[in-house]
Structures are given as structure tokens and as C-alpha cells.
Amino acid sequence: GKCEKCPAKTAAIPIWDFSDGFDHLGGILPAEFATQTCSGSCIDCSATNHPNGDCFFELASYPNRDSDGTIVGIRQSQYMGNYYTAQLAIPLQLISDGTIEVTYAFVHTDPDSTDAVPSTLNAMITIDGVDHQLDDSRTLTVKPGKIKLDIKQGERQLLFTVVQDGVIELEDRFDVVLLSVKVVGELRGGNPTCVKCTAGHYCPGNTESFVPCPPGYYNYAPNMDRCVKCQAGYAQKDEGSQFCNYCGTGTYTNDNQTLCINSCNISSFAGNWDLTGLRGLVFGPLTKSNLGDAGGRGNSGGAGNLSMLPPVEALDTLNIERFFVSPCNFVNENKCMDRTCTRNRERGSTVEDAYACQRINANLSYSLGDDVSYTTYNGKLTQYLTGGDKCHSSSLSSLTRRTNITFVCDPTEVPGTLSYINEYPSCQFNFALNSRYGCPVCSAASFQVVTSDCGDDEFKVTKYYKRSDHSSCVGGFVPPADVKVSCRKCTNSDYEIIWSDCENGIQKPTYELKKTSIGCIDAKESQLARENSLASISVRECRKIDATIGNNSFTVGLFFVTIGIASAVAAAYVFYKRHADLSVRYQRLNNNATGHLEMADHDDFGHDEEEEDDGDDFSNQNAPAKGAATQSSAVEDA
């Protein structure tokens, strides 16, 4: 047939499906399907009744509510003794992130029995290193148990473990039955089908796998075609996540919201701590045993004092645990992994991004936490480091290593001394750091302000005292020096009468302290004396100008400003008019002077022209003389 593309929100995924039991295995557990092991009073696999080697686990048929009325499951062999541990390991090869679903049940060998499962019989299913204790109340007659979880792409394993730790009579025995297994994304699933996308992933369509959400994104619901970015104040460093982690006090998110960055500056209702002075410091190596000076004092940019310990190589040979802690930076930020913690080549440890690590030898180290948070209790600060490598204990393999660092205030310790306390509970490593940085930073609220009474003293004094509940704080707020205030009592001579602005035609008197008298103490009796004195002073009418112009000083000021502007405009106009008149007169005078020069030139050539009189004051000054000269000439001609 024709192949179809998977739509958005689905992907073409193979499914290895034994959800209806293991009927089609043909009654035999093939070697390529699973590996069987047993310890204790196990049966002999060479026995003639087990020619196929399925001596520790076997297929068995049980009643079931399906079409054929039966289901074939996998159980521990009924030929086992009373003290044994049997394991069935089923390898898984996932070509995509997917899911795994397992069902199980406890079945009595006598179908009619109502007995409870004996406490000596226990069973566990381990999927990808995570243990799941089986609930012995789950039976075929009640309801089988179910385990369903997401599983990552790659080589994985399902481990079925049955433990019998005591004597049980044959008639009282129970089978622990693995009823079904369904793995989405398993290579042996054959031809793929379109499967709904799982939570923590997205399926844009036409894909052959579920696409994990990248760091900084998440999907809390299945069947999605895109991922959601972490909201402000939250971060997620892993891919394929269904949630984002809150970045608490003392931390902030980076730009792409993949990490909660350690600010080393903690503010809480219990106080403020500034750990920034510890940046670049690595405490260690510290050991659980007393091997001389463990080098617990912080050293800038590198490990602690190694000279008091046996050589690194000697400790590596003995597989001696050593711890390195850097409260404000990743331990290997300075790239000195050969002296602190090395990469775990076998298990892919993330020691490069750890605030604390555990070194076993040159090839084996563990991260003790790369996610940081803080809490305060009874005035003490504790730093929590989580998200380290998986715990070494098989019973706690689902947990990760973590670290608690309790800061102990000691103002004399700079930068401080780190001590290993214990490992409790398992895979939680506890330390104490005696340091000045374990002391909260002082603030104004750390001090109580106390002002003394005057009494017979000349001054009263204001002092700052550290509060008892803030006695351990250091640095930060520095209280001012003692403040002295004069205790001299004010008298009437220290005051002057000030009249109020004009309102409704009147002004009222008030007393105001003179600037030269500021600092005196205004006694109550002095206040009463002034009040009585004011009662004897009558209000006064406003000045005439005040009543005419307005009832306040602003109006008076506006009036004088207006007059000033008008005066300035008038003066400017008078100046301009005077300047214009002078300009006209100057022009006329200049024209007259030019006329005289022309007349002198004409006389030289014997031409007499009578000068015109334009009526100007300056040219008329010679008019009488000219008239007289003309008249005299006429008489002589006669």
C-alpha cells in the first residue's frame, strides 16, 4: 500500500507490543529476548526438565478476560528453593524517545486461596536504572499492577527481580508474574505507526521520532506540535522536559532560561548574605578519613593545599574519596580537572558544571550538584546543590547525588574553613563552612536608634545600638556618629512675629523661630506663653496697595512687574523716536554741505546761480547776509 505521512502532533514510531501477553513466544523464553540469572538456592539449569535453559523464569498461562480467556505471562520458576534472588534482564533498543508500560500480578499457586502474600517474597521492576517496588496487593482477582513512564532514546534495560528470603511451604507459594510489556519507540516493533506525541516532546508532522523540547522549553501535555518557553524566573537545563524549575532566592535565569545562575547574593526575611567574596574559590580536597590536613581552606582559582595529603596518584590508586566544593562557581571553571574532578568516562558525569564533586580516581568522578538554592533557618544560611550524578546505591538508583552546605558565622574566618560532616541520608553529602560570609550583612534595620533625655545635661545624644537579633551581622550599613543636640530651652526672644499674607483685607500674626536660634528646645510652657501673647496682638488691616491690587503678595508682585514692563516699553519708544529725528537732521545737514561745494565750483567758471532756500534752519542762518549783499549790488548798478 501507499505510505502516508504522519500529521502534526504525531510521529511514525515502531511499537514493541506484548500488551496482550507473551503468547506468540511459543512457550519458550528465547535467549535473544532476555537473560536469566539467579543466586542462592536456585535450581540446576542442566536439569532434564529444563532443556531450553529457562530454569529461573518460565512462561505460564493464567485466566484472563480476553477473547481466548487466557494470558501468558513470565514468572519465576516453581522449582526454586526458599532463599534465592532471580533476575530477568530484557534489553531495549529505542530509536526514539518513547514510553514503556508494564503490568504485573501476584498469583497464588492455589486459585481458590485467599491468603496474603508472605513478607518474605518481594519483587522489583527496574527500568533504565530506576527501581519500582511491586505492590503485593495487586492480584489477578483484584487488579493487576501497572507501571508506565517515559523512556529516553538509546540502549535501555528492563530488569525483573524476584527475591525469596525465607521458608514458604509449597502450598503457600505465590508466582510473581510479568503479564505484559509495551514499548513505544523500540526497534523490534517493526513497521511504524502514527503515534500521538508524548509530554516533553513536540511533533511538527512527518517525523520518525518524538522531538524532545530543547533546554529552556517544556511541554506538560501530550499531543503537541510545539514546545512552550519557560516563563520568567524559571529555567530548564535538560531536553525533553515536562516542566521548568523555579529559580529561587539568590539565583536568576540566564538569557535563554536554561540555567538558574548563582548570584551569591541572598535576600530573605531572615536577613541578607553576600557571598560574592567566595567567587573563584575552591575548597578541597576534603576526605572522609583523617589523612592529615584535608586542605579545607579556600584557595583562589584552584584546589586546596595538597602538600599535606599523599600524592594525588597515590590516593587515586587507593580509590580514596575526595571532595571539592566551590559555593559560587563551578568547581572546574578554571579547567584544572586533573587536580580536582575528572570526567567520568564510563558514565558521562557532568562534573564540568558542578558546584561540588567527588573524585574517586583519575577516571572516575561524580557531580554532587549543579542546581543551587538557598534556605535560612534560625539565622543560618544553607546552600543546597541538587541534580548531581545518579546515586551509587542500587536501592536509591532513581535518586541523584546532592550536597548541603551550612554556613556558620565566624567574622574571624576569611574566606573560611570547610568541613566534611557526613553522608546522610545516602548520597546526600553534608558540609559546614565557618566563614565571615556566613554572617548576614548589616542593614539599617539591624540597629536601634536611641536618643537620651536632656535632664541636667547641656546636650541630648542620639546613638545607634545593634539589635540583639542582629548581633551576628557584619559589614553593610554603617551607623552615623553620635548626634548631639543642644538642650537650651527656647525663650520668647528666640522668636519673631511674622505677618501672614493679606486675606479678606486683614493680616494675622504668628511666631517663627529665628534662624540664629535653631536648635533650642521648645518647652511646652514657652509654647503656651506665645499663644497667650498672640491673643493680645490684634490683627491688622492690609496696606492700601494690598487692598487695591489684591489680597496677597503674589498679586502685589504681579502689579509691580506689570508697571516695570510698561515703563521699559515707553522708554524704548522715546529712544527710538529721538533717534529717528536725529537721523533726519543729520541727512539734511549733509545735503546742504554738498550744495555749497557745487556753488564754489560754478563761481570759478564765472557762472552766478542764486542758492535756493529750502527753509532749513541750518541754511537760513546766512540768509540776511545774502540779502544785504544783493541789495548793495543793485544800488551800485543804479
Side-chain angles (χ1 to χ4, degrees), residues 277-423:
L278 295 175
R279 284 182 176 153
L281 298 179
V282 177
F283 293 89
L286 290 91
T287 64
K288 291 183 177 181
S289 57
N290 297 321
L291 294 177
D293 182 1
R297 294 187 63 82
N299 292 270
S300 179
N305 180 15
L306 297 173
S307 61
M308 301 301 294
L309 285 170
V312 175
E313 293 76 14
L315 295 174
D316 285 346
T317 302
L318 297 173
N319 290 332
I320 299 296
E321 290 181 88
R322 283 144 289 165
F323 300 97
F324 297 87
V325 179
S326 182
C328 287
N329 299 86
F330 295 145
V331 169
N332 289 312
E333 196 166 289
N334 56 6
K335 308 302 180 185
C336 61
M337 295 174 64
D338 59 325
R339 304 295 287 174
T340 54
C341 293
T342 59
R343 185 191 303 274
N344 188 337
R345 295 188 177 93
E346 297 178 359
R347 306 188 184 183
S349 176
T350 57
V351 293
E352 295 91 341
D353 300 329
Y355 290 99
C357 63
Q358 177 186 19
R359 178 179 178 130
I360 307 300
N361 55 51
N363 296 316
L364 183 59
S365 295
Y366 298 102
S367 165
L368 301 186
D370 55 8
D371 292 325
V372 62
S373 62
Y374 296 91
T375 61
T376 57
Y377 180 72
N378 285 341
K380 286 187 178 181
L381 176 71
T382 299
Q383 182 186 63
Y384 295 99
L385 305 176
T386 57
D389 290 329
K390 285 187 177 180
C391 188
H392 54 75
S393 172
S394 60
S395 62
L396 298 172
S397 57
S398 61
L399 301 178
T400 57
R401 286 173 167 81
R402 56 205 180 276
T403 303
N404 290 353
I405 304 172
T406 300
F407 287 79
V408 180
C409 176
D410 188 344
T412 64
E413 284 277 2
V414 180
T417 301
L418 185 71
S419 303
Y420 173 81
I421 305 300
N422 57 22
E423 179 185 349

Side-chain angles (χ1 to χ4, degrees), residues 150-229:
D150 297 330
I151 188 168
K152 293 292 185 181
Q153 178 181 357
E155 294 184 358
R156 308 298 173 192
Q157 185 184 67
L158 185 154
L159 188 64
F160 179 35
T161 305
V162 180
V163 178
Q164 173 61 49
D165 190 21
V167 177
I168 300 180
E169 300 299 329
L170 286 174
E171 62 272 16
D172 296 327
R173 291 193 175 184
F174 277 78
D175 297 336
V176 185
V177 186
L178 191 62
L179 293 172
S180 68
V181 175
K182 180 180 179 180
V183 184
V184 176
E186 223 288 337
L187 179 63
R188 291 171 289 183
N191 294 328
T193 57
C194 293
V195 181
K196 289 184 179 180
C197 213
T198 58
H201 301 77
Y202 71 102
C203 297
N206 193 26
T207 60
E208 297 180 351
S209 63
F210 301 142
V211 183
C213 292
Y217 289 80
Y218 73 102
N219 253 341
Y220 65 88
N223 200 28
M224 303 293 287
D225 60 358
R226 68 195 65 185
C227 297
V228 182
K229 187 174 179 62

Side-chain angles (χ1 to χ4, degrees), residues 2 46 64 174 238 303 352 382 410 453 458 465 581 597:
K2 184 179 178 181
S46 62
N64 190 40
F174 277 78
D238 298 322
E352 295 91 341
T382 299
D410 188 344
D453 296 329
E458 186 178 354
Y465 295 95
D581 292 341
L597 291 175

